Amino acid sequence: MRRGAVLLAITAAIYVAVCGTLYATQRSLLYYPTPESYSVHARELRIATDGAVVKVWELRDEGDKAVIYFGGNSEDVAANIDDFAAAFPNASVYLVNYRGYGGSTGTPTETSLLADAEGVFDYVQARHSRVAVIGRSLGSGVAVHLAAVRDVSKLALVTPYDSVASIAQGRFAIVPVSWLLEDTFDSLTKAPRVHAPVLVLLAETDYVIPHAHSEKLVARFAPGQAAVREIKGTNHDSISRAPEYRSALSAFLLY
Protein backbone atom coordinates (compact mmCIF):
# COMPACT_ATOMS: atom_id res chain seq x y z
CA MET A 1 0.00 0.00 0.00
CA ARG A 2 2.76 2.41 0.99
CA ARG A 3 4.82 1.54 -2.09
CA GLY A 4 1.78 2.23 -4.28
CA ALA A 5 1.25 5.61 -2.66
CA VAL A 6 4.89 6.54 -3.22
CA LEU A 7 4.69 5.46 -6.86
CA LEU A 8 1.51 7.50 -7.32
CA ALA A 9 3.16 10.55 -5.75
CA ILE A 10 6.20 10.22 -8.02
CA THR A 11 3.98 9.85 -11.08
CA ALA A 12 1.95 12.90 -10.08
CA ALA A 13 5.13 14.92 -9.51
CA ILE A 14 6.47 13.97 -12.95
CA TYR A 15 3.13 14.86 -14.57
CA VAL A 16 3.06 18.26 -12.87
CA ALA A 17 6.68 18.87 -13.91
CA VAL A 18 5.88 18.01 -17.52
CA CYS A 19 2.86 20.34 -17.51
CA GLY A 20 4.92 23.09 -15.91
CA THR A 21 7.71 22.70 -18.46
CA LEU A 22 5.26 22.82 -21.37
CA TYR A 23 3.60 25.91 -19.91
CA ALA A 24 6.90 27.71 -19.39
CA THR A 25 8.29 26.86 -22.82
CA GLN A 26 5.09 26.93 -24.88
CA ARG A 27 5.99 29.95 -27.00
CA SER A 28 9.40 28.52 -27.85
CA LEU A 29 7.55 25.44 -29.11
CA LEU A 30 5.10 27.51 -31.15
CA TYR A 31 7.26 30.24 -32.69
CA TYR A 32 10.50 29.72 -34.60
CA PRO A 33 11.73 33.19 -35.57
CA THR A 34 13.78 33.53 -38.73
CA PRO A 35 16.85 35.75 -39.15
CA GLU A 36 16.65 38.89 -41.23
CA SER A 37 17.14 38.38 -44.96
CA TYR A 38 17.72 40.80 -47.81
CA SER A 39 16.48 41.18 -51.38
CA VAL A 40 17.02 43.58 -54.25
CA HIS A 41 13.72 42.55 -55.86
CA ALA A 42 11.41 44.17 -53.30
CA ARG A 43 11.28 47.30 -51.18
CA GLU A 44 11.57 47.18 -47.40
CA LEU A 45 8.83 48.86 -45.41
CA ARG A 46 9.08 49.46 -41.68
CA ILE A 47 5.60 49.84 -40.24
CA ALA A 48 5.34 51.01 -36.64
CA THR A 49 2.75 49.13 -34.60
CA ASP A 50 1.98 49.10 -30.89
CA GLY A 51 5.30 48.21 -29.32
CA ALA A 52 7.17 47.04 -32.42
CA VAL A 53 8.34 47.89 -35.90
CA VAL A 54 7.23 45.32 -38.46
CA LYS A 55 9.34 44.73 -41.55
CA VAL A 56 7.24 44.18 -44.67
CA TRP A 57 8.45 43.36 -48.16
CA GLU A 58 6.59 45.41 -50.79
CA LEU A 59 6.34 44.43 -54.44
CA ARG A 60 4.98 47.44 -56.32
CA ASP A 61 2.85 50.19 -54.81
CA GLU A 62 0.31 51.04 -57.44
CA GLY A 63 -3.18 50.15 -58.61
CA ASP A 64 -6.29 49.24 -56.68
CA LYS A 65 -5.43 45.57 -56.00
CA ALA A 66 -3.16 44.36 -53.20
CA VAL A 67 -2.27 41.02 -51.63
CA ILE A 68 -0.97 40.59 -48.07
CA TYR A 69 0.86 37.38 -47.17
CA PHE A 70 1.23 35.89 -43.68
CA GLY A 71 3.61 32.94 -43.78
CA GLY A 72 4.16 29.74 -41.90
CA ASN A 73 6.27 29.18 -38.84
CA SER A 74 10.02 29.34 -39.47
CA GLU A 75 9.31 30.59 -43.01
CA ASP A 76 11.41 33.34 -44.54
CA VAL A 77 8.64 35.19 -46.39
CA ALA A 78 11.23 36.81 -48.67
CA ALA A 79 11.59 33.42 -50.38
CA ASN A 80 8.20 34.12 -52.01
CA ILE A 81 9.20 37.38 -53.67
CA ASP A 82 9.96 36.05 -57.15
CA ASP A 83 7.04 33.60 -57.24
CA PHE A 84 4.51 36.18 -56.04
CA ALA A 85 5.84 38.80 -58.45
CA ALA A 86 5.02 36.36 -61.26
CA ALA A 87 1.72 35.19 -59.75
CA PHE A 88 0.34 38.69 -59.15
CA PRO A 89 1.65 40.87 -62.00
CA ASN A 90 -1.19 43.39 -61.70
CA ALA A 91 -1.28 43.76 -57.93
CA SER A 92 0.90 45.11 -55.17
CA VAL A 93 2.15 42.43 -52.78
CA TYR A 94 3.05 42.80 -49.10
CA LEU A 95 4.95 40.00 -47.32
CA VAL A 96 4.81 40.34 -43.54
CA ASN A 97 7.56 39.36 -41.12
CA TYR A 98 6.00 38.64 -37.72
CA ARG A 99 7.37 40.26 -34.59
CA GLY A 100 10.79 38.80 -33.91
CA TYR A 101 10.98 37.38 -37.44
CA GLY A 102 13.03 38.57 -40.40
CA GLY A 103 14.04 41.98 -39.07
CA SER A 104 10.84 42.89 -37.24
CA THR A 105 11.34 43.94 -33.64
CA GLY A 106 9.52 42.60 -30.60
CA THR A 107 8.54 39.16 -29.35
CA PRO A 108 5.81 37.06 -31.00
CA THR A 109 2.58 36.37 -29.15
CA GLU A 110 -0.91 35.79 -30.51
CA THR A 111 -2.13 39.16 -29.28
CA SER A 112 0.77 41.05 -30.82
CA LEU A 113 0.67 39.19 -34.15
CA LEU A 114 -3.04 39.86 -34.58
CA ALA A 115 -2.66 43.53 -33.66
CA ASP A 116 0.27 43.88 -36.06
CA ALA A 117 -1.77 42.26 -38.84
CA GLU A 118 -4.55 44.81 -38.33
CA GLY A 119 -2.01 47.63 -38.47
CA VAL A 120 -0.43 46.34 -41.68
CA PHE A 121 -3.85 45.87 -43.27
CA ASP A 122 -4.88 49.43 -42.40
CA TYR A 123 -1.64 50.72 -43.93
CA VAL A 124 -2.24 48.75 -47.14
CA GLN A 125 -5.96 49.54 -47.38
CA ALA A 126 -5.19 53.27 -47.23
CA ARG A 127 -3.31 52.78 -50.51
CA HIS A 128 -5.41 50.15 -52.30
CA SER A 129 -9.17 49.72 -52.55
CA ARG A 130 -9.18 45.90 -52.82
CA VAL A 131 -7.00 43.97 -50.37
CA ALA A 132 -6.82 40.17 -50.47
CA VAL A 133 -5.09 38.11 -47.80
CA ILE A 134 -3.14 34.83 -47.88
CA GLY A 135 -2.39 32.90 -44.68
CA ARG A 136 -0.21 29.81 -44.67
CA SER A 137 -0.06 27.34 -41.76
CA LEU A 138 0.55 29.48 -38.66
CA GLY A 139 -0.42 32.48 -40.77
CA SER A 140 -3.83 31.01 -41.53
CA GLY A 141 -4.91 31.88 -37.99
CA VAL A 142 -3.71 35.44 -38.47
CA ALA A 143 -5.47 35.69 -41.83
CA VAL A 144 -8.80 34.32 -40.55
CA HIS A 145 -8.73 36.80 -37.68
CA LEU A 146 -8.02 39.66 -40.08
CA ALA A 147 -10.84 38.65 -42.43
CA ALA A 148 -13.19 38.53 -39.44
CA VAL A 149 -12.42 42.11 -38.35
CA ARG A 150 -11.52 43.90 -41.59
CA ASP A 151 -13.00 44.28 -45.08
CA VAL A 152 -10.86 41.69 -46.84
CA SER A 153 -11.78 41.22 -50.52
CA LYS A 154 -10.71 37.55 -50.71
CA LEU A 155 -9.12 35.08 -48.30
CA ALA A 156 -6.75 32.25 -49.30
CA LEU A 157 -5.73 29.72 -46.64
CA VAL A 158 -2.88 27.27 -47.18
CA THR A 159 -2.77 24.16 -44.96
CA PRO A 160 -4.94 25.87 -42.32
CA TYR A 161 -5.96 24.59 -38.88
CA ASP A 162 -9.07 24.90 -36.76
CA SER A 163 -7.06 26.11 -33.76
CA VAL A 164 -3.54 25.78 -32.41
CA ALA A 165 -5.08 24.41 -29.23
CA SER A 166 -6.68 21.56 -31.17
CA ILE A 167 -3.39 20.73 -32.90
CA ALA A 168 -1.50 20.84 -29.61
CA GLN A 169 -4.05 18.65 -27.84
CA GLY A 170 -3.54 15.99 -30.49
CA ARG A 171 0.20 16.00 -29.86
CA PHE A 172 0.05 16.17 -26.07
CA ALA A 173 -2.99 14.00 -25.44
CA ILE A 174 -2.51 13.56 -21.69
CA VAL A 175 -1.89 17.25 -20.99
CA PRO A 176 -4.75 19.72 -20.28
CA VAL A 177 -3.82 21.95 -23.19
CA SER A 178 -6.86 24.21 -22.84
CA TRP A 179 -5.71 25.15 -19.33
CA LEU A 180 -2.09 25.76 -20.25
CA LEU A 181 -2.07 27.29 -23.73
CA GLU A 182 -1.94 31.08 -23.93
CA ASP A 183 -1.88 31.48 -27.73
CA THR A 184 -4.76 29.45 -29.16
CA PHE A 185 -5.32 31.06 -32.60
CA ASP A 186 -8.92 29.88 -32.56
CA SER A 187 -9.94 30.19 -36.22
CA LEU A 188 -12.91 27.92 -35.65
CA THR A 189 -14.86 30.52 -33.68
CA LYS A 190 -13.88 33.38 -36.00
CA ALA A 191 -14.69 31.72 -39.33
CA PRO A 192 -18.45 32.50 -39.20
CA ARG A 193 -17.60 36.22 -39.06
CA VAL A 194 -15.69 36.05 -42.36
CA HIS A 195 -17.73 37.31 -45.33
CA ALA A 196 -15.10 37.22 -48.07
CA PRO A 197 -14.84 34.35 -50.59
CA VAL A 198 -12.40 31.71 -49.31
CA LEU A 199 -9.98 29.37 -51.06
CA VAL A 200 -8.41 26.55 -49.04
CA LEU A 201 -5.33 24.80 -50.44
CA LEU A 202 -4.36 21.48 -48.88
CA ALA A 203 -1.27 19.35 -49.34
CA GLU A 204 -1.98 15.78 -50.36
CA THR A 205 0.05 14.53 -47.38
CA ASP A 206 0.19 16.74 -44.31
CA TYR A 207 1.56 15.33 -41.06
CA VAL A 208 1.88 18.78 -39.47
CA ILE A 209 -1.77 19.81 -39.84
CA PRO A 210 -3.87 16.72 -40.61
CA HIS A 211 -6.75 17.27 -43.02
CA ALA A 212 -9.33 16.72 -40.29
CA HIS A 213 -8.34 20.05 -38.70
CA SER A 214 -8.63 21.91 -42.01
CA GLU A 215 -11.97 20.26 -42.74
CA LYS A 216 -13.39 21.36 -39.38
CA LEU A 217 -12.45 24.94 -40.26
CA VAL A 218 -13.98 24.73 -43.74
CA ALA A 219 -17.24 23.50 -42.22
CA ARG A 220 -17.50 26.68 -40.14
CA PHE A 221 -17.69 28.98 -43.15
CA ALA A 222 -21.07 29.67 -44.73
CA PRO A 223 -22.30 26.97 -47.15
CA GLY A 224 -20.57 27.39 -50.50
CA GLN A 225 -18.28 30.14 -49.22
CA ALA A 226 -15.06 28.10 -49.18
CA ALA A 227 -13.63 26.26 -52.19
CA VAL A 228 -11.17 23.49 -51.31
CA ARG A 229 -8.37 22.23 -53.54
CA GLU A 230 -5.86 19.51 -52.75
CA ILE A 231 -2.47 19.83 -54.43
CA LYS A 232 -1.37 16.33 -55.41
CA GLY A 233 2.13 15.10 -54.70
CA THR A 234 2.83 17.70 -52.00
CA ASN A 235 3.29 17.81 -48.25
CA HIS A 236 3.07 20.58 -45.66
CA ASP A 237 6.43 22.04 -46.66
CA SER A 238 6.54 21.36 -50.39
CA ILE A 239 3.09 22.63 -51.38
CA SER A 240 4.38 26.09 -52.29
CA ARG A 241 6.79 24.59 -54.83
CA ALA A 242 4.03 23.02 -56.92
CA PRO A 243 3.06 24.96 -60.08
CA GLU A 244 -0.61 24.41 -59.23
CA TYR A 245 -0.12 26.32 -55.99
CA ARG A 246 0.86 29.56 -57.67
CA SER A 247 -1.71 29.26 -60.45
CA ALA A 248 -4.53 28.54 -57.97
CA LEU A 249 -3.68 31.59 -55.87
CA SER A 250 -3.36 33.80 -58.93
CA ALA A 251 -6.66 32.69 -60.46
CA PHE A 252 -8.56 33.07 -57.20
CA LEU A 253 -7.18 36.32 -55.87
CA LEU A 254 -6.99 38.41 -59.02
CA TYR A 255 -10.26 37.54 -60.78
Side-chain angles (χ1 to χ4, degrees):
M1 182 80 78
R2 184 177 179 181
R3 181 177 298 175
V6 170
L7 182 60
L8 182 61
I10 292 173
T11 301
I14 292 173
Y15 180 77
V16 170
V18 169
C19 290
T21 300
L22 289 174
Y23 178 79
T25 62
Q26 60 181 282
R27 286 190 170 125
S28 66
L29 297 173
L30 178 58
Y31 303 109
Y32 295 89
T34 55
E36 185 169 13
S37 59
Y38 302 90
S39 174
V40 298
H41 298 124
R43 186 164 74 103
E44 293 182 20
L45 299 178
R46 306 278 177 170
I47 300 176
T49 61
D50 185 13
V53 177
V54 177
K55 178 180 174 180
V56 178
W57 292 108
E58 178 190 64
L59 286 70
R60 293 178 293 274
D61 182 19
E62 56 188 19
D64 63 338
K65 296 179 182 179
V67 176
I68 303 176
Y69 178 75
F70 298 98
N73 205 353
S74 74
E75 177 184 359
D76 178 6
V77 295
N80 298 283
I81 289 174
D82 291 341
D83 281 347
F84 280 12
F88 310 118
N90 300 316
S92 297
V93 179
Y94 298 85
L95 308 166
V96 181
N97 290 284
Y98 303 128
R99 288 193 186 205
Y101 287 65
S104 294
T105 65
T107 300
T109 67
E110 178 182 9
T111 300
S112 64
L113 264 59
L114 300 186
D116 291 346
E118 293 176 19
V120 171
F121 182 88
D122 293 343
Y123 174 94
V124 173
Q125 191 178 48
R127 291 156 177 78
H128 309 278
S129 59
R130 295 175 57 192
V131 183
V133 173
I134 305 171
R136 179 178 179 183
S137 193
L138 175 64
S140 69
V142 179
V144 169
H145 168 82
L146 194 56
V149 300
R150 292 292 191 271
D151 185 18
V152 169
S153 64
K154 291 186 178 181
L155 175 64
L157 302 174
V158 183
T159 60
Y161 48 80
D162 46 356
S163 73
V164 165
S166 179
I167 297 289
Q169 189 64 73
R171 295 180 183 175
F172 303 101
I174 65 170
V175 173
V177 169
S178 61
W179 295 359
L180 301 175
L181 195 63
E182 295 183 312
D183 296 356
T184 62
F185 289 96
D186 188 0
S187 295
L188 205 61
T189 61
K190 297 177 182 180
R193 305 203 301 270
V194 174
H195 300 293
V198 180
L199 172 67
V200 175
L201 297 181
L202 303 179
E204 181 179 20
T205 304
D206 196 332
Y207 297 112
V208 179
I209 301 175
H211 284 188
H213 293 278
S214 302
E215 291 163 357
K216 287 180 182 177
L217 175 62
V218 170
R220 292 290 287 167
F221 292 112
Q225 181 182 8
V228 181
R229 179 171 176 180
E230 182 181 286
I231 307 298
K232 299 297 183 182
T234 65
N235 59 36
H236 189 83
D237 296 321
S238 69
I239 186 172
S240 61
R241 297 195 292 271
E244 297 91 337
Y245 171 81
R246 191 174 79 181
S247 61
L249 289 176
S250 178
F252 173 70
L253 294 175
L254 295 187
Y255 300 97

